[in-house]
Amino acid sequence: QVQLVESGGGSVQAGGSLRLSCAASGAADSINYMAWFRQALGKEREGVAQIYTGSSGSANIADSVEGRFTISKDNAKNTVYLQMDSLRPEDTAIYYCAAKVLDWYAGKWDREQIYDYWGQGTQVTVAS
């Protein structure tokens, strides 16, 4: 079993920055992919970014946040980060961390179904 705990959410003015953290515990060494999703009020949950925990650290990022958000990892701490810059009101959402154990998957990286574990979420609010 893997436990995921997000932190770093909060309220910020448009144009500001936040850094989210997701700490994995339990069988964290079994994780091959970690990702960030978000869900705004009244909308479906959407993928924000994904990173491979292996040495390549290859990443995917949603078009809506590319150039503003960066995903990174610290394997020694079993932690993944989401650096969010140039925040916009439309980035307001609950942000969730997700983890996948198997080192392969079919289809796109932002399909919720491919992830095995989820955190409880952290609220990010961007004021205009």
Side-chain angles (χ1 to χ4, degrees):
Q1 289 290 322
V2 172
Q3 295 78 44
L4 303 174
V5 178
E6 303 99 334
S7 61
S11 298
V12 65
Q13 293 290 319
S17 298
L18 284 173
R19 189 177 81 154
L20 304 183
S21 300
C22 174
S25 61
D29 290 345
S30 67
I31 297 171
N32 278 284
Y33 295 94
M34 293 187 74
W36 289 97
F37 284 73
R38 67 184 182 184
Q39 187 168 21
L41 193 63
K43 295 187 177 182
E44 292 186 354
R45 190 153 53 182
E46 63 174 354
V48 176
Q50 179 210 56
I51 191 164
Y52 177 58
T53 62
S55 57
S56 72
S58 60
N60 290 293
I61 195 150
D63 291 343
S64 59
V65 303
E66 190 165 14
R68 300 188 297 121
F69 291 12
T70 304
I71 189 169
S72 62
K73 63 184 178 73
D74 184 337
N75 285 350
K77 296 181 179 180
N78 291 322
T79 298
V80 169
Y81 305 97
L82 186 68
Q83 178 66 42
M84 305 185 295
D85 300 317
S86 302
L87 282 161
R88 304 168 179 170
E90 54 263 39
D91 295 318
T92 295
I94 299 174
Y95 284 70
Y96 298 91
C97 178
K100 175 172 176 52
V101 171
L102 290 179
D103 63 355
W104 65 271
Y105 56 86
K108 294 184 65 178
W109 64 269
D110 58 352
R111 291 175 56 237
E112 294 183 47
Q113 298 92 327
I114 69 173
Y115 295 93
D116 304 299
Y117 301 99
W118 292 83
Q120 292 299 307
T122 185
Q123 177 71 47
V124 171
T125 302
V126 184
S128 58

